[in-house]
mmCIF file of all heavy atoms in Angstrom:
data_model
loop_
_atom_site.group_PDB
_atom_site.id
_atom_site.type_symbol
_atom_site.label_atom_id
_atom_site.label_comp_id
_atom_site.label_asym_id
_atom_site.label_seq_id
_atom_site.Cartn_x
_atom_site.Cartn_y
_atom_site.Cartn_z
ATOM 1 N N LYS A 183 174.802 165.740 109.781
ATOM 2 C CA LYS A 183 175.222 166.102 108.470
ATOM 3 C C LYS A 183 176.504 166.923 108.481
ATOM 4 O O LYS A 183 177.081 167.123 107.357
ATOM 5 C CB LYS A 183 174.175 166.965 107.732
ATOM 6 C CG LYS A 183 172.890 166.121 107.394
ATOM 7 C CD LYS A 183 171.887 166.922 106.751
ATOM 8 C CE LYS A 183 170.645 166.188 106.401
ATOM 9 N NZ LYS A 183 169.605 166.943 105.708
ATOM 10 N N ASP A 184 176.892 167.403 109.697
ATOM 11 C CA ASP A 184 178.091 168.219 109.750
ATOM 12 C C ASP A 184 179.400 167.410 109.848
ATOM 13 O O ASP A 184 180.423 167.926 109.866
ATOM 14 C CB ASP A 184 177.934 169.180 110.893
ATOM 15 C CG ASP A 184 176.956 170.221 110.739
ATOM 16 O OD1 ASP A 184 176.669 170.606 109.474
ATOM 17 O OD2 ASP A 184 176.250 170.767 111.666
ATOM 18 N N LEU A 185 179.107 166.039 109.856
ATOM 19 C CA LEU A 185 180.171 165.109 109.942
ATOM 20 C C LEU A 185 180.290 164.227 108.647
ATOM 21 O O LEU A 185 179.354 164.007 108.031
ATOM 22 C CB LEU A 185 180.053 164.198 111.139
ATOM 23 C CG LEU A 185 179.842 164.879 112.520
ATOM 24 C CD1 LEU A 185 179.685 163.804 113.620
ATOM 25 C CD2 LEU A 185 181.149 165.672 112.860
ATOM 26 N N LYS A 186 181.536 163.949 108.279
ATOM 27 C CA LYS A 186 181.702 162.962 107.181
ATOM 28 C C LYS A 186 182.780 161.961 107.439
ATOM 29 O O LYS A 186 183.614 162.073 108.344
ATOM 30 C CB LYS A 186 181.996 163.805 105.833
ATOM 31 C CG LYS A 186 183.416 164.479 105.987
ATOM 32 C CD LYS A 186 183.677 165.299 104.699
ATOM 33 C CE LYS A 186 185.000 166.029 104.875
ATOM 34 N NZ LYS A 186 185.408 166.821 103.620
ATOM 35 N N VAL A 187 182.705 160.870 106.574
ATOM 36 C CA VAL A 187 183.662 159.835 106.781
ATOM 37 C C VAL A 187 184.632 159.889 105.582
ATOM 38 O O VAL A 187 184.200 159.986 104.418
ATOM 39 C CB VAL A 187 182.990 158.406 106.824
ATOM 40 C CG1 VAL A 187 184.101 157.310 106.901
ATOM 41 C CG2 VAL A 187 182.029 158.351 108.000
ATOM 42 N N GLU A 188 185.887 159.836 105.823
ATOM 43 C CA GLU A 188 186.987 159.818 104.800
ATOM 44 C C GLU A 188 187.938 158.634 105.055
ATOM 45 O O GLU A 188 188.030 158.130 106.243
ATOM 46 C CB GLU A 188 187.729 161.207 104.827
ATOM 47 C CG GLU A 188 186.883 162.381 104.407
ATOM 48 C CD GLU A 188 187.749 163.558 104.381
ATOM 49 O OE1 GLU A 188 188.884 163.624 104.921
ATOM 50 O OE2 GLU A 188 187.228 164.652 103.931
ATOM 51 N N GLU A 189 188.738 158.340 104.005
ATOM 52 C CA GLU A 189 189.733 157.396 104.037
ATOM 53 C C GLU A 189 190.922 157.831 104.918
ATOM 54 O O GLU A 189 191.394 159.021 104.673
ATOM 55 C CB GLU A 189 190.292 156.920 102.714
ATOM 56 C CG GLU A 189 189.212 156.013 102.032
ATOM 57 C CD GLU A 189 189.833 155.553 100.691
ATOM 58 O OE1 GLU A 189 190.814 156.121 100.138
ATOM 59 O OE2 GLU A 189 189.222 154.615 100.148
ATOM 60 N N ASP A 190 191.480 157.083 105.748
ATOM 61 C CA ASP A 190 192.738 157.366 106.549
ATOM 62 C C ASP A 190 193.844 156.706 105.995
ATOM 63 O O ASP A 190 194.124 155.554 106.213
ATOM 64 C CB ASP A 190 192.529 157.073 107.947
ATOM 65 C CG ASP A 190 193.720 157.592 108.881
ATOM 66 O OD1 ASP A 190 194.644 158.063 108.275
ATOM 67 O OD2 ASP A 190 193.606 157.342 110.063
ATOM 68 N N LYS A 191 194.528 157.389 105.119
ATOM 69 C CA LYS A 191 195.645 156.741 104.352
ATOM 70 C C LYS A 191 196.861 156.410 105.171
ATOM 71 O O LYS A 191 197.828 155.811 104.780
ATOM 72 C CB LYS A 191 196.119 157.671 103.174
ATOM 73 C CG LYS A 191 194.916 157.777 102.119
ATOM 74 C CD LYS A 191 195.464 158.463 100.902
ATOM 75 C CE LYS A 191 194.260 158.515 99.774
ATOM 76 N NZ LYS A 191 194.745 159.198 98.588
ATOM 77 N N SER A 192 196.852 156.823 106.416
ATOM 78 C CA SER A 192 197.872 156.395 107.324
ATOM 79 C C SER A 192 197.563 154.900 107.953
ATOM 80 O O SER A 192 198.491 154.423 108.528
ATOM 81 C CB SER A 192 197.953 157.457 108.433
ATOM 82 O OG SER A 192 196.755 157.500 109.192
ATOM 83 N N LYS A 193 196.388 154.502 107.656
ATOM 84 C CA LYS A 193 196.037 153.188 108.195
ATOM 85 C C LYS A 193 195.707 152.249 106.935
ATOM 86 O O LYS A 193 194.721 152.345 106.334
ATOM 87 C CB LYS A 193 194.760 153.225 109.013
ATOM 88 C CG LYS A 193 194.901 153.980 110.361
ATOM 89 C CD LYS A 193 193.655 154.035 111.066
ATOM 90 C CE LYS A 193 193.722 154.792 112.365
ATOM 91 N NZ LYS A 193 192.386 154.861 113.195
ATOM 92 N N ILE A 194 196.736 151.454 106.604
ATOM 93 C CA ILE A 194 196.581 150.485 105.505
ATOM 94 C C ILE A 194 196.173 149.171 106.165
ATOM 95 O O ILE A 194 196.855 148.483 106.889
ATOM 96 C CB ILE A 194 197.853 150.338 104.730
ATOM 97 C CG1 ILE A 194 198.293 151.614 104.130
ATOM 98 C CG2 ILE A 194 197.831 149.284 103.634
ATOM 99 C CD1 ILE A 194 199.693 151.690 103.459
ATOM 100 N N LEU A 195 194.943 148.694 105.736
ATOM 101 C CA LEU A 195 194.399 147.485 106.355
ATOM 102 C C LEU A 195 194.852 146.338 105.483
ATOM 103 O O LEU A 195 194.899 145.087 105.976
ATOM 104 C CB LEU A 195 192.805 147.586 106.275
ATOM 105 C CG LEU A 195 192.262 148.752 107.013
ATOM 106 C CD1 LEU A 195 190.681 148.719 106.905
ATOM 107 C CD2 LEU A 195 192.659 148.781 108.466
#
Side-chain angles (χ1 to χ4, degrees):
K183 294 180 180 180
D184 294 329
L185 302 178
K186 63 180 180 178
V187 178
E188 293 181 350
E189 289 183 344
D190 186 356
K191 294 188 177 182
S192 63
K193 295 180 181 179
I194 299 176
L195 303 178

